[in-house]
Amino acid sequence: MSDELQRIMAIDDPYLLLREVTTRLADAQQEVTELARLRRRVVQDLHAQGLSYAQIATKAGLSRGRIHQIRHTGPAPEGAFLGRGAVTVATPLRRDDERGRTVVAVDDVSSGKRLEDLARSYGLDVASEHVPVSGEVDLNRDGLVVVCGPRMSQEMWDTYAQDPVLRWERAEDGPWTLVDRRTGTVYRSGQDTDPARPYDVGYVGRLLRPDRKGSLLAIAGIHTQGSLGVVQLLASDLNALWGQVGEHRFSTLVGVEYNPETSEPRSVELLTPLYRHDEEASA
């Protein structure tokens, strides 16, 4: 029996006991989920290296059937792309100056909800919150996924600015653009071209937190349709993205063709490589 369990069992106050047991059970379930994810990842990695299930079973002291079961059941390793145990999805509030009130963009709601559903599908606990109109948000937390561009939050502007390759810049004629400094390519939204077309560009990256004690996942489009496109890419290709960058810090740009009536993505594609920031720093 662990010291923690003994401590909880010694609590006399029934209400405190109920609270402590509930909290501990939630924490324990997260641990179980992440241990199962790690176990499946180890089996997959060993199998990918050329070992048979029988060989893995022999070396691990388990049955071949158990190894096969681990490989095909339980939370998928790529779920760690979003976070471990629990994630918080933050989407921005916006100021409607015409009506003098705070609103949420429909596309931001859709992006947030789809990210929450994606995280739950990988066995992660999910919470949601809003980045206030002021843009002030605590980024120094584990499991944070922020759908917010740099112009809406100084904290996010400072976080995006650390990207060694991709940069948010304002064009001389006013619109926001995304620039690949390695190639010099400037990416503009189709809404900001003449003639306009239903095309946007989205950014996704795992960036260093301000306290430098972890990372957060940052998502933003030049317009809201770009964020929707990023979320669709994650939902359809998370395994491939995880295989390339794992839990390393990275960034990439996504091109999004969308339905002009509904903003729903029609097609998405990577516009740049998945730039690993550790590799860029040593280049």
Side-chain angles (χ1 to χ4, degrees), residues 165-169 171 175-181 183-190 192-193 199-202 222 252-255 269-273 275:
V165 187
L166 303 174
R167 180 175 292 276
W168 292 85
E169 291 184 3
W176 283 93
T177 66
L178 280 156
V179 180
D180 183 332
R181 289 187 288 177
T183 65
T185 306
V186 178
Y187 296 93
R188 297 176 65 112
S189 171
D192 304 321
T193 60
Y199 177 83
D200 201 34
V201 179
I222 295 179
T252 192
L253 299 183
V254 179
E269 64 173 345
L270 287 177
L271 298 176
T272 70
Y275 289 121

Side-chain angles (χ1 to χ4, degrees), residues 126-138:
V126 180
S128 63
E129 64 180 51
H130 292 300
V131 178
V133 174
S134 67
E136 297 177 359
V137 57
D138 178 12

